[in-house]
């Protein structure tokens, strides 16, 4: 084999490797929460229920976290019960404070990890987020009759547009859609929005696509973001989606280059 052929093969190999290297999710929810002792109990609960690993396996996620003073109720529940409860606190999309306060209709139904578990009934797996006239962002179950009394307090961490961790005042309960008398109460309840589906924006992102379907999955997501989000936010979402499509194309190109390089190496 000549030195020129070896150099050419090495060049193609390095070129393909650069394209094939696609780093996995850079975030780790356990690491993020460990930087603030006020969320140590919530962090421990995510690990006990194995929700932490599920969150880390996602590419886009929002976690509604509870501080230690709001966690006492869950110490008496089983691990499985807590897993169900906190999977409702994991939204399958990226939302930071700016994006929430920019909702075009000031309210939306967000899809959670509990919805994707297959255990949710009716709208149990959705949460209602509403921006009040005074600017407060409130969360609650999307089940009819539920109250919006979990208030957004502040942002714990954010890595646009992969993970956002938001601090909320109290937990969001899993409501029974078949029992209209079962309404969660609190010391300072707020009325839920009128249960008219036309009043809400729906955000129902699919489960993470396989590598072969990323380009197809991100295209409709970008189109949906353009319809439902403000212009500035939409541009960022579309940019992220476009980048995903490019990455998928790069993978296909890199694979072809690797095959060609291997063939060249064998025939020289």
């Amino acid at each position: 084999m000549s030195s020129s052929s070896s150099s050419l093969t090495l060049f193609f190999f390095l070129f393909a490797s650069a394209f094939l290297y696609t780093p996995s999710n850079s975030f780790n929810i356990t690491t993020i929460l460990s930087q603030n002792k006020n969320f140590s109990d919530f962090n421990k609960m995510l690990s006990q229920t194995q929700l932490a690993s599920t969150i880390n396996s996602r590419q886009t996620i929002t976690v509604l976290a509870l501080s230690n003073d709001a966690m006492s109720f869950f110490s008496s529940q089983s691990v499985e019960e807590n897993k169900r409860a906190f999977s409702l606190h994991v939204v399958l999309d990226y939302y930071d404070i700016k994006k929430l306060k920019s909702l075009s209709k000031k309210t939306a139904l967000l899809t959670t990890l509990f919805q994707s578990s297959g255990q949710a009934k009716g709208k149990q797996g959705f949460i209602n987020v509403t921006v009040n006239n005074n600017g407060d962002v409130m969360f609650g179950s999307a089940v009819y009759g539920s109250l919006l009394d979990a208030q957004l307090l502040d942002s714990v961490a954010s890595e646009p547009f992969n993970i956002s961790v938001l601090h909320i005042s109290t937990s969001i309960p899993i409501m029974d859609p078949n029992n209209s008398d079962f309404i969660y109460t609190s010391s300072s309840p707020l009325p839920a929005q009128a249960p008219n589906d036309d009043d809400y924006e729906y955000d129902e992102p699919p489960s993470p696509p396989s590598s072969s379907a990323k380009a197809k999955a991100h295209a409709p997501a970008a189109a949906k973001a353009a319809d439902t989000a403000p212009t500035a936010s939409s541009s960022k979402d579309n940019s992220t989606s476009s980048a995903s499509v490019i990455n998928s194309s790069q993978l296909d190109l890199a694979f072809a280059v690797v095959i060609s390089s291997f063939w060249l190496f064998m025939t020289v």
Side-chain angles (χ1 to χ4, degrees), residues 1-267:
M1 181 183 297
S2 65
S3 59
S4 59
S5 297
S6 299
S7 299
L8 182 61
T9 302
L10 178 62
F11 170 78
F12 276 116
F13 177 77
L14 294 175
F15 177 80
S17 298
F19 276 93
L20 285 172
Y21 175 71
T22 53
S24 58
N25 292 356
S26 59
F27 64 81
N28 184 299
I29 186 60
T30 302
T31 302
I32 292 173
L33 291 174
S34 65
Q35 298 175 16
N36 192 322
K37 294 182 179 180
N38 290 330
F39 299 96
S40 59
D41 290 345
F42 184 80
N43 195 10
K44 181 179 180 180
M45 193 68 69
L46 292 184
S47 297
Q48 287 180 345
T49 59
Q50 298 184 348
L51 286 174
S53 59
T54 302
I55 291 170
N56 293 336
S57 69
R58 294 275 179 166
Q59 293 184 349
T60 304
I61 211 82
T62 299
V63 179
L64 305 179
L66 299 175
S67 56
N68 294 342
D69 56 4
M71 288 289 296
S72 58
F73 170 78
F74 301 98
S75 61
S76 61
Q77 293 197 146
S78 67
V79 172
E80 187 59 33
E81 287 174 326
N82 286 331
K83 183 174 183 178
R84 285 165 48 89
F86 287 112
S87 63
L88 192 65
H89 286 232
V90 181
V91 178
L92 303 184
D93 201 352
Y94 177 86
Y95 282 93
D96 53 21
I97 294 178
K98 181 179 179 180
K99 185 175 179 180
L100 287 171
K101 291 193 173 185
S102 299
L103 293 173
S104 61
K105 293 185 178 181
K106 300 299 182 182
T107 188
L109 295 184
L110 311 181
T111 308
T112 70
L113 193 60
F114 184 52
Q115 176 67 20
S116 68
S117 71
Q119 301 179 58
K121 300 177 181 179
K123 291 185 178 179
Q124 276 186 328
F126 297 91
I127 56 176
N128 177 354
V129 56
T130 296
V131 182
N132 288 342
N133 292 334
N134 62 1
D136 289 342
V137 179
M138 309 299 298
F139 296 91
S141 171
V143 174
Y144 174 78
S146 304
L147 301 179
L148 301 178
D149 57 356
Q151 182 178 355
L152 172 63
L153 299 179
D154 52 58
S155 175
V156 179
S158 63
E159 297 179 15
F161 293 91
N162 297 122
I163 185 170
S164 174
V165 182
L166 301 174
H167 178 200
I168 61 174
S169 60
T170 188
S171 63
I172 303 171
I174 297 177
M175 304 292 286
D176 184 355
N178 299 318
N179 186 355
S180 59
D181 293 331
F182 176 52
I183 299 179
Y184 179 74
T185 60
S186 71
S187 58
S188 56
L190 293 174
Q193 295 295 301
N196 182 349
D197 289 348
D198 293 336
D199 291 338
Y200 299 111
E201 293 177 357
Y202 278 84
D203 184 3
E204 301 182 53
S207 298
S210 61
S211 58
S212 62
K214 282 184 178 179
K216 294 182 180 179
H218 280 283
K224 182 175 182 181
D227 292 336
T228 59
T231 302
S233 177
S234 175
S235 298
K236 292 181 180 179
D237 289 342
N238 288 342
S239 298
T240 305
S241 178
S242 299
S244 299
V245 175
I246 292 172
N247 287 338
S248 179
S249 301
Q250 289 174 340
L251 286 174
D252 294 338
L253 174 62
F255 180 78
V257 171
V258 170
I259 296 300
S260 299
S261 299
F262 180 77
W263 178 84
L264 178 63
F265 178 84
M266 295 298 296
T267 56

